[in-house]
Amino acid sequence: MPSTHSLDLEAGSSQYAYINDGDQTGLDLSGDFTFEMWVKMESQPGVGGRMVLISKDDETNRSYFVEYENNAGVYQIAVIVFSDNTTYDLVRFTETLSNATWTHVAITCDISNAVATEFELFLDGVSQGNGTVVTDGSVTAIQNTTIAFKVGSGLSDGRYLDGLIEDVRVWNDIRTQPEIDTYKCLVLTGSEANLVSWWKFDNDATDSAGSNDLTLSGSPSYSTDVPLCLQTTTSTSTSTTSSSTSSSSSSTSSSSSSTSSSSTSSSSSSTSSSSSSTSSSSSSSSTSTSTSTTTLFYTPPPSIKIFDIKPVSRTMRRDTPTINITNE
């Protein structure tokens, strides 16, 4: 089904969604991951302000978080992973999330890479590069903690998101650019490989891919404002019928020609042939075409008569010109 609602979080009301660590499965990410979500800001963070998109961090138990920041008037998206409570990799991307339009945000983490290429940001399916390294802690594995997983909040001071959020996905692998771009507007099946959790926020906070149902805190509401492409796209399952072509084999029949020569007449040969008739049809998920070719049989006009010429004697008359045939 197309998306019908998004989760409307108000920073002033300390609203967010969460699942306690003891209730979750698969959100203790230790290595590669991809976070995806649609976001539409309702306000921008003030100077020094921070709004968390996704987190598993309360500054005492630290695993990871992604947040939208205002650093001295510069808007940035920050991503951080911890190997322990004091060792971490931090990268920032200078980007602005709009109040007026929906933006698809995706962050990938290749934990085996050096921090300079460890993270990659995609906005609306387009790579924004690897960001600027702030801290290099040489993290090779993310710390497993007992803190809750949250959407729209994190850390000890809350850092609440003020905006709409929709179609949040957590993967435990690195999604490629074509995958991110292609699937950002598609409704998943929920059984895709490496999909840990998927919250559509269509009037509830259930996990459509697993068992990590979220609990709402602060009584947030649901909005009918959703990304346009999610309103119209119904499924990732595309039905495409392979092209098929059938051809009939050609058949040709020829009658034997009858020819006799004499000084004054010769008969023409009569041949009838049937040429191949081929029909091809192609069909796809959205278009269907068919073509056919028919060859007409030749029929002599009534004015032409075919005579049955009887053989003449091989003895030529003396007055018949002699034609000498030589082999060269």
Side-chain angles (χ1 to χ4, degrees), residues 228-248:
L228 179 62
C229 68
L230 290 177
Q231 297 177 39
T232 56
T233 305
T234 59
S235 176
T236 61
S237 177
T238 56
S239 177
T240 302
T241 306
S242 301
S243 299
S244 61
T245 304
S246 62
S247 302
S248 61

Side-chain angles (χ1 to χ4, degrees), residues 72-321:
V74 178
Y75 294 111
Q76 296 179 311
I77 296 173
V79 56
I80 187 169
V81 294
F82 296 85
S83 59
D84 57 51
N85 287 337
T86 58
T87 307
Y88 58 91
D89 290 344
L90 169 60
V91 170
R92 288 191 171 105
F93 302 82
T94 300
E95 301 291 344
T96 300
L97 299 179
S98 174
N99 288 4
T101 59
W102 282 95
T103 303
H104 184 263
V105 179
I107 295 279
T108 64
C109 172
D110 186 340
I111 203 69
S112 64
N113 281 2
V115 68
T117 57
E118 185 176 13
F119 306 108
E120 189 170 3
L121 172 68
F122 300 84
L123 297 181
D124 294 326
V126 179
S127 174
Q128 307 302 312
N130 303 113
T132 301
V133 176
V134 179
T135 304
D136 180 2
S138 300
V139 174
T140 57
I142 302 172
Q143 177 175 228
N144 187 344
T145 63
T146 58
I147 193 62
F149 172 90
K150 298 179 181 180
V151 173
S153 177
L155 291 79
S156 60
D157 56 357
R159 304 189 186 186
Y160 302 105
L161 177 66
D162 191 37
L164 305 175
I165 192 164
E166 162 73 340
D167 212 59
V168 177
R169 306 171 183 180
V170 176
W171 308 79
N172 61 11
D173 71 343
I174 304 166
R175 301 288 282 173
T176 65
Q177 186 276 330
E179 287 175 327
I180 292 170
D181 189 39
T182 299
Y183 286 87
K184 69 181 187 295
C185 286
L186 296 182
V187 177
L188 304 178
T189 65
S191 59
E192 286 78 3
N194 302 307
L195 179 62
V196 176
S197 289
W198 170 37
W199 300 280
K200 295 186 290 184
F201 294 124
D202 276 342
N203 261 335
D204 60 49
T206 57
D207 181 359
S208 297
S211 58
N212 295 322
D213 295 348
L214 300 179
T215 299
L216 302 184
S217 179
S219 301
S221 61
Y222 292 97
S223 170
T224 56
D225 185 352
V226 297
L228 179 62
C229 68
L230 290 177
Q231 297 177 39
T232 56
T233 305
T234 59
S235 176
T236 61
S237 177
T238 56
S239 177
T240 302
T241 306
S242 301
S243 299
S244 61
T245 304
S246 62
S247 302
S248 61
S249 60
S250 61
S251 61
T252 305
S253 63
S254 301
S255 62
S256 58
S257 59
S258 173
T259 306
S260 64
S261 60
S262 65
S263 58
T264 59
S265 65
S266 64
S267 70
S268 59
S269 62
S270 173
T271 305
S272 66
S273 62
S274 63
S275 63
S276 61
S277 174
T278 304
S279 65
S280 62
S281 63
S282 301
S283 61
S284 65
S285 58
S286 60
T287 60
S288 175
T289 61
S290 64
T291 60
S292 62
T293 303
T294 304
T295 302
L296 299 176
F297 293 99
Y298 173 73
T299 303
S303 60
I304 298 177
K305 295 182 179 180
I306 306 298
F307 296 95
D308 182 16
I309 306 298
K310 296 181 179 180
V312 296
S313 173
R314 296 178 60 89
T315 304
M316 293 183 294
R317 294 173 53 180
R318 294 182 181 273
D319 58 349
T320 302

Side-chain angles (χ1 to χ4, degrees), residues 58-78:
D58 68 352
E59 296 183 81
T60 299
N61 298 279
R62 318 202 74 173
S63 294
Y64 54 81
F65 68 82
V66 178
E67 68 179 9
Y68 183 47
E69 307 174 340
N70 181 333
N71 293 304
V74 178
Y75 294 111
Q76 296 179 311
I77 296 173

